[in-house]
Amino acid sequence: MFRNGKSLTGLAILGFFVLLAVFGDLIAPYGPLDKDFDALRQPPSAQHWLGTTHMGEDVFSQIVLGTRGVLVVGFSAGVIATLVAVAVGVTAGYVAGWRSESLSALTNVFLVLPGLPLMIIVASQYDNPSLLLISAVLAITGWAWGGRVLRAQTMSLRNRDFVQAARANGEPLHRIIAVEMLPNLTAIIASSFVGTVTAAVLGLTTLAFIGVIPITNLNWGTILYWAQQNGAFPDFWWWYVPAGLCIALLGMALSLINFGIDEYVNPRLRSAGERARAMRKRGLRPTSGVTAVRPAPHHPPHPRQHSEQKDPS
């Protein structure tokens, strides 16, 4: 995975946003609500790198300081959803009978729940919901897909020899799951975590853009909300384009990391990636569909064969 150019690019972009979130207070030149009434709706300049809003607020500072809320909600929702998916999915895949069917039915219920309306209803019940509450709501609506995948993979592992040997030795259920199965599910769990974080980031920005989350929870979605409410589209591009690009870049980074995890999990993708890297080291193009074939040398016919061809019989 760490030799894959896609995953390394995604990790580099994600690391950049993590630095913004951690050191945002030191990087941002202004406070998110500091107003400069002499520079209202000004385009990017040396004083305001990404321009200002209708109240003279620095857009660059808002984006830098809003990164923290996006990453906190995204990764918190990813951790909560992944823990629930592992607990339900692995247990449902290992046990049998009514317990497995009950957990499978629970997963199916959450699969068909409309995520966005449920998030709107729950988040709108609080005047100022905390980031942890928003993360929990996003996790509740996003764990079922990972649980379904983990259940299917666990069902394929429970009949393997090493699991049967542990069961024959009288190992307890929790130790079989924690020691024998989870190490073999690590890559799938990581892929599920990355996918959940991506969905949580998009869900958070959506809730903020439509005004469900209070404006005090500064993030990229609230920047887009205020830009839309104050007529920034399409003339004042510096107000909404940077926030949209940050959302797109973070989503691309998580997708590239997921590609690297998929290559690690899937043996066919892993072998194809190794062959492509080996071809690039030899100066060949891995995407080329034509392979040069050296023609076989031409040998003159043997004299006996030549005489036999002339014999009419």
Side-chain angles (χ1 to χ4, degrees), residues 3 7 11 14 16 42 68 73 90 140 150 165 205 252 294:
R3 293 179 296 176
S7 58
L11 289 172
L14 181 61
F16 170 74
Q42 293 297 313
R68 183 177 303 165
V73 171
V90 176
I140 289 174
L150 287 171
T205 53
M252 183 184 72
R294 184 178 180 182

Side-chain angles (χ1 to χ4, degrees), residues 91-139:
T91 304
Y94 181 79
V95 300
W98 65 270
R99 294 177 295 178
S100 177
E101 295 300 326
S102 300
L103 293 175
S104 178
L106 177 65
T107 305
N108 292 334
V109 169
F110 278 91
L111 277 175
V112 300
L113 281 178
L116 184 60
L118 181 61
M119 288 188 291
I120 293 173
I121 293 173
V122 175
S124 61
Q125 300 301 313
Y126 298 87
D127 295 331
N128 189 14
S130 62
L131 294 179
L132 183 59
L133 176 62
I134 298 172
S135 303
V137 173
L138 294 171

Side-chain angles (χ1 to χ4, degrees), residues 210-236:
I210 63 179
V212 176
I213 296 178
I215 58 175
T216 54
N217 292 328
L218 179 65
N219 58 72
W220 299 334
T222 55
I223 296 174
L224 295 175
Y225 169 79
W226 282 115
Q228 190 268 339
Q229 290 292 319
N230 292 278
F233 300 93
D235 297 330
F236 307 106

Side-chain angles (χ1 to χ4, degrees), residues 120-291:
I120 293 173
I121 293 173
V122 175
S124 61
Q125 300 301 313
Y126 298 87
D127 295 331
N128 189 14
S130 62
L131 294 179
L132 183 59
L133 176 62
I134 298 172
S135 303
V137 173
L138 294 171
I140 289 174
T141 60
W143 68 269
W145 287 106
R148 173 61 63 187
V149 174
L150 287 171
R151 177 179 180 270
Q153 188 66 21
T154 305
M155 291 178 68
S156 68
L157 287 175
R158 67 183 181 184
N159 295 322
R160 300 285 181 88
D161 293 339
F162 61 92
V163 176
Q164 296 294 333
R167 186 185 301 172
N169 289 333
E171 298 288 348
L173 175 61
H174 64 87
R175 190 180 187 282
I176 293 176
I177 293 177
V179 177
E180 303 294 341
M181 287 192 166
L182 286 184
N184 294 280
L185 298 172
T186 303
I188 297 178
I189 294 172
S191 179
S192 175
F193 171 76
V194 173
T196 306
V197 172
T198 305
V201 169
L202 295 177
L204 171 68
T205 53
T206 301
L207 291 175
F209 179 70
I210 63 179
V212 176
I213 296 178
I215 58 175
T216 54
N217 292 328
L218 179 65
N219 58 72
W220 299 334
T222 55
I223 296 174
L224 295 175
Y225 169 79
W226 282 115
Q228 190 268 339
Q229 290 292 319
N230 292 278
F233 300 93
D235 297 330
F236 307 106
W237 58 267
W238 58 85
W239 195 347
Y240 58 87
V241 169
L245 286 178
C246 287
I247 296 172
L249 280 175
L250 182 58
M252 183 184 72
L254 294 172
S255 299
L256 290 174
I257 295 172
N258 209 1
F259 290 156
I261 296 174
D262 288 340
E263 182 174 320
Y264 176 76
V265 174
N266 193 327
R268 293 183 179 180
L269 294 177
R270 183 167 63 249
S271 60
E274 292 173 354
R275 286 196 301 268
R277 285 189 288 270
M279 292 178 67
R280 281 194 292 266
K281 289 182 180 179
R282 292 181 298 190
L284 301 176
R285 295 177 57 188
T287 58
S288 177
V290 179
T291 303

